[in-house]
Amino acid sequence: MERSSTIKEKKYVPVLLLAAFFLIVLVTSTVLAENSSPLISNIVILPDKVNSNSFVNISAMVFDAEGISSVSAAVILPDKRRDDVALLPNNNGNNFSGLFLNTSLKGIYTVEIIANDSLNNIGASEKINFSVLDNIPPSVSNLQTVEGSSSTKFDAMLILADIKDNFEVDTVFAEITLPNSTKRIIALVPFSGITYAGDFATIELEGEYLVKIIANDSSNNINDSGFTSFMIDSQSL
């Protein structure tokens, strides 16, 4: 009887070892699953080159066995500030997207996708860039010419124009075509607020003077579409 019992015990040993092995594998797999971060892939930024104050669509595929809690895009602006935008699931449950609107600065923006699962495991993606460009020329408006005064009625004309740019105005000039078709260039400088002004002196010829305003911004976008004119007759001289 003792020998038979010993034989049975020996038969159960491999079974118990095998069961223990599978239990260890199951526990290990569970622990690994609980500690695994969400998988992030297929990051897309459209468009990847935009003008300032335009929106950018950011999307990514996110996978996790335990379920996704939240997904966001951490965006580093050209001035090193950080702005976060939430990415929400689309019809495909693994695709998340959102609109980024804070594109007022010109330069390179860096995006990193951050995903958090239901067990608070956090995954971060590789970084990807998009650019905000300045392709918009300055606006030119409210052109005016104001007569100066002297003992000879006037011998100068003050030229005024309002100049605005989405980033920075660099230079402003007035190109003046005289009645004899010759041209003169004068610089306009900041006068008040967005108004630029310059004096056109030594008016000697009778006739019509054509004035073209040329405004250039810090990205070398030029607006030369602003025109006005003034007349000089013998009574003015």
Side-chain angles (χ1 to χ4, degrees):
M1 291 295 292
E2 291 181 1
R3 182 179 179 185
S4 176
S5 175
T6 303
I7 293 173
K8 288 182 180 180
E9 289 176 0
K10 289 182 178 180
K11 288 182 179 179
Y12 285 124
V13 167
V15 175
L16 292 174
L17 291 175
L18 185 61
F21 173 77
F22 280 114
L23 180 60
I24 292 171
V25 170
L26 178 62
V27 171
T28 303
S29 300
T30 302
V31 170
L32 290 175
E34 290 177 350
N35 292 325
S36 61
S37 300
L39 176 64
I40 303 169
S41 63
N42 296 351
I43 304 169
V44 178
I45 298 178
L46 291 175
D48 61 357
K49 294 182 176 63
V50 297
N51 284 318
S52 63
N53 300 311
S54 301
F55 69 82
V56 173
N57 185 75
I58 302 172
S59 65
M61 298 294 291
V62 183
F63 302 89
D64 189 84
E66 301 301 323
I68 302 299
S69 175
S70 65
V71 180
S72 63
V75 184
I76 305 301
L77 280 62
D79 62 0
K80 306 307 179 185
R81 289 183 295 123
R82 171 173 164 166
D83 195 359
D84 291 335
V85 56
L87 305 187
L88 302 177
N90 295 317
N91 293 333
N92 179 344
N94 295 114
N95 182 263
F96 292 75
S97 66
L99 294 179
F100 182 71
L101 306 176
N102 187 9
T103 57
S104 61
L105 297 178
K106 179 176 60 176
I108 304 297
Y109 291 64
T110 302
V111 179
E112 183 179 31
I113 307 300
I114 299 173
N116 195 349
D117 69 13
S118 58
L119 297 176
N120 204 33
N121 298 309
I122 298 174
S125 73
E126 62 179 346
K127 296 178 181 179
I128 188 170
N129 297 329
F130 70 91
S131 302
V132 173
L133 309 175
D134 180 15
N135 293 324
I136 303 173
S139 66
V140 179
S141 62
N142 197 26
L143 278 65
Q144 302 179 58
T145 56
V146 180
E147 298 176 359
S149 62
S150 70
S151 58
T152 57
K153 293 285 182 117
F154 66 87
D155 61 359
M157 186 71 71
L158 180 65
I159 299 173
L160 301 164
D162 289 347
I163 312 295
K164 291 177 65 177
D165 189 72
N166 57 332
F167 286 109
E168 182 182 6
V169 176
D170 186 22
T171 56
V172 182
F173 296 95
E175 179 187 88
I176 303 164
T177 303
L178 280 60
N180 63 2
S181 298
T182 60
K183 297 181 186 295
R184 294 183 187 174
I185 303 290
I186 65 168
L188 273 59
V189 297
F191 179 70
S192 176
I194 62 171
T195 302
Y196 285 67
D199 278 321
F200 175 57
T202 315
I203 297 175
E204 300 172 344
L205 302 175
E206 294 185 43
E208 183 179 26
Y209 290 69
L210 302 177
V211 180
K212 178 169 71 172
I213 303 299
I214 305 169
N216 193 359
D217 69 12
S218 57
S219 297
N220 203 34
N221 299 304
I222 297 174
N223 184 344
D224 59 359
S225 62
F227 286 89
T228 188
S229 64
F230 60 91
M231 290 292 297
I232 299 296
D233 57 31
S234 58
Q235 294 181 351
S236 302
L237 296 172

